[in-house]
Amino acid sequence: MKYTMQLFSKIILFTAIPFLKVNAQKTEIKVNAPFLSLGMINIAAEKSLSNKFSLQAEAFISPWKSFVGKNLQVYMGTLEGRYYFKEVMNGWYVGAYGSIAAYNLQKWNYINAETVLNEDGSPQILADGSIRVTERYQKGLAFILGISGGYHFTVNEKLGLDVYAGVGTSQSIYKGYYKDNNERYDVATEWNKSGEIIPTRGGLMLTYKFN
């Protein structure tokens, strides 16, 4: 995870630098306010390509090895193209995006502790005679393609609000572990694979426009 974080930091840095150049095009920097209150960082830079099209680079970091007792460590970079129905960075828009993420988390269907079973389907019994019950978590990489939509509010010539959401197909490679001993629960010798269509982004961005 350490080396993956370093790789993502470099990718996000080199992707974002061109967006932050102030020139004749409109450029905004953004921060997702709701995530800040949870100790997570979601920042973005959006640059206009024409009167109706823009390109946005985005980074999301959830550093929590434990959040209310659950694994929730995520490092994700996203590149999104947007089409505005009125004019760029003003009003309704639709978009398409691609993301790559490294994670150490508990997927939505692994939140609760479950009984650990033997190969014959019987419950595992601990040394003290109790039935083994534990949670599971996953470490891996996700590759996401999705569509998004939202509304960009203009507060004044510099400030604004960007309300948005997106859903996409997430294709993952991962390894699964028991929380009580950090040993693999899956039968794969290397990586497991999974795919699902889920909401992958959303929030309320506070925006600042350079020009």
Side-chain angles (χ1 to χ4, degrees):
M1 184 64 71
K2 175 182 178 182
Y3 297 106
T4 305
M5 289 168 55
Q6 294 175 349
L7 175 61
F8 271 92
S9 298
K10 292 177 181 178
I11 292 173
I12 291 167
L13 176 62
F14 285 109
T15 303
I17 285 175
F19 285 80
L20 298 178
K21 293 181 179 178
V22 179
N23 51 36
Q25 296 173 309
K26 294 180 181 179
T27 302
E28 280 190 345
I29 56 173
K30 312 177 181 184
V31 61
N32 200 328
F35 283 127
L36 279 179
S37 64
L38 299 175
M40 304 173 188
I41 301 171
N42 187 195
I43 57 175
E46 182 179 6
K47 178 181 284 291
S48 64
L49 301 178
S50 68
N51 188 49
K52 290 184 177 291
F53 288 93
S54 70
L55 189 64
Q56 177 166 296
E58 183 179 333
F60 174 80
I61 299 174
S62 174
W64 297 101
K65 292 182 179 180
S66 179
F67 186 82
V68 295
K70 309 297 179 182
N71 295 42
L72 191 57
Q73 199 171 22
V74 182
Y75 301 88
M76 180 165 64
T78 298
L79 196 61
E80 178 188 30
R82 290 181 172 182
Y83 172 79
Y84 285 82
F85 294 98
K86 185 177 180 181
E87 62 177 351
V88 71
M89 301 178 195
N90 185 16
W92 292 103
Y93 64 84
V94 293
Y97 62 93
S99 303
I100 181 171
Y103 60 84
N104 175 350
L105 54 72
Q106 291 174 250
K107 294 184 177 182
W108 62 271
N109 52 338
Y110 289 89
I111 293 297
N112 298 319
E114 297 181 354
T115 300
V116 180
L117 303 178
N118 295 310
E119 292 185 0
D120 62 3
S122 61
Q124 287 189 14
I125 306 299
L126 299 174
D128 62 2
S130 63
I131 294 176
R132 184 184 177 193
V133 178
T134 186
E135 298 176 21
R136 296 165 171 82
Y137 67 95
Q138 298 78 33
K139 291 182 180 180
L141 295 173
F143 305 90
I144 301 166
L145 292 175
I147 56 174
S148 58
Y151 192 92
H152 193 298
F153 296 89
T154 299
V155 177
N156 56 41
E157 63 178 11
K158 292 293 185 182
L159 301 178
L161 298 173
D162 184 3
V163 183
Y164 68 99
V167 62
T169 173
S170 175
Q171 304 298 317
S172 297
I173 55 174
Y174 69 94
K175 296 179 180 180
Y177 300 88
Y178 290 115
K179 288 196 72 173
D180 61 353
N181 60 9
N182 296 315
E183 294 181 355
R184 295 281 296 271
Y185 68 76
D186 43 7
V187 296
T189 56
E190 292 296 330
W191 295 97
N192 259 319
K193 299 177 182 179
S194 69
E196 52 196 345
I197 297 177
I198 56 174
T200 59
R201 58 201 305 266
L204 171 63
M205 290 272 194
L206 304 179
T207 74
Y208 178 84
K209 188 178 299 180
F210 282 108
N211 46 10

